[in-house]
Amino acid sequence: MRTWIRPLVVLGMGMLAVFLAAGPEASGDTGQEPRLAPAAGQTVAAATPTEGSAPAAEGSSCRNPLPWQAARSHVGTTVALQGPVVRVMLRDDLRGKPVFISVGQPFPSRQRLEAVIREDHRYAFASLLKTRLEGREVCVSGHVGLRDGVPRVVPKAASQLQLAAL
C-alpha cells in the first residue's frame, strides 16, 4: 500500500470505531421511527397512490405523453413527448457521430423536436434504428434542452425512445 494511503485508512477505521462505540443516541437514532401528529382538525392523506386514484400526470411517461409541440414550454424539465418522425439522419462527420431524429417538423424548422442519439448510446437503440421510423409515431422521454433554438432530448436508454402505442 502506498505510504500516504495507510494513514488515511487507519484514520477512517478509528473514526468508525469511535462512531460505533458512541451508540445510536449520539447520532440521534433511538431505533424508533419519529411520529408526527397531525394538527388539530387535520386528517392524514395516504402517501401512496391506490387503485382508482388519479392517473399519472400528463407527460410523466410514454403511457401519458405530451404532444411534441409542448417541448418548447418544457425546456429544463424531464417529460415524455410524442409525435411523428419526419426525418432520421446519421451524421458521421460530427463529433459523437449523432443520429438526429426530427419529430413534428423537418430540419431546418426551429418548430421541430429533436431527439439526438450519440454514438456511445446507439447500441441501446440498434433494433429501433433498423426499422423505418419516418412517418411513425414515437415517444421520446428525458430532459428537454434547447440547442440553437430547437428543443432537444438526448435519450441514452432504449426506454427513452420507443414507438408510440396508438
Side-chain angles (χ1 to χ4, degrees):
M1 201 179 273
R2 294 184 188 234
T3 57
W4 60 272
I5 294 177
R6 188 178 308 269
L8 289 177
V9 170
V10 171
L11 178 65
M13 292 178 79
M15 290 175 65
L16 179 62
V18 169
F19 178 75
L20 292 176
E25 295 79 25
S27 66
D29 184 8
T30 61
Q32 296 179 350
E33 296 240 355
R35 293 184 180 206
L36 300 175
Q42 288 184 335
T43 59
V44 178
T48 56
T50 58
E51 191 173 313
S53 63
E58 191 174 17
S60 63
S61 73
C62 284
R63 290 184 180 166
N64 195 9
L66 292 168
W68 68 270
Q69 297 93 331
R72 189 169 302 282
S73 62
H74 287 83
V75 170
T77 64
T78 299
V79 293
L81 301 153
Q82 181 175 321
V85 173
V86 293
R87 186 175 184 191
V88 177
M89 184 172 50
L90 169 62
R91 292 291 307 265
D92 280 333
D93 58 321
L94 297 177
R95 187 179 58 149
K97 299 182 180 179
V99 174
F100 292 94
I101 301 173
S102 296
V103 177
Q105 296 288 321
F107 175 85
S109 172
R110 290 181 187 255
Q111 302 307 312
R112 71 188 185 279
L113 166 64
E114 198 165 68
V116 181
I117 301 171
R118 304 219 187 279
E119 180 181 33
D120 52 343
H121 299 290
R122 209 180 302 163
Y123 65 91
F125 305 97
S127 62
L128 185 63
L129 292 174
K130 288 179 184 176
T131 65
R132 180 159 175 83
L133 290 175
E134 285 95 347
R136 299 181 76 179
E137 289 277 320
V138 295
C139 178
V140 60
S141 60
H143 182 80
V144 181
L146 201 60
R147 175 71 185 238
D148 298 327
V150 177
R152 171 183 281 193
V153 176
V154 182
K156 297 178 181 172
S159 61
Q160 292 181 278
L161 180 67
Q162 50 192 279
L163 291 175
L166 297 176

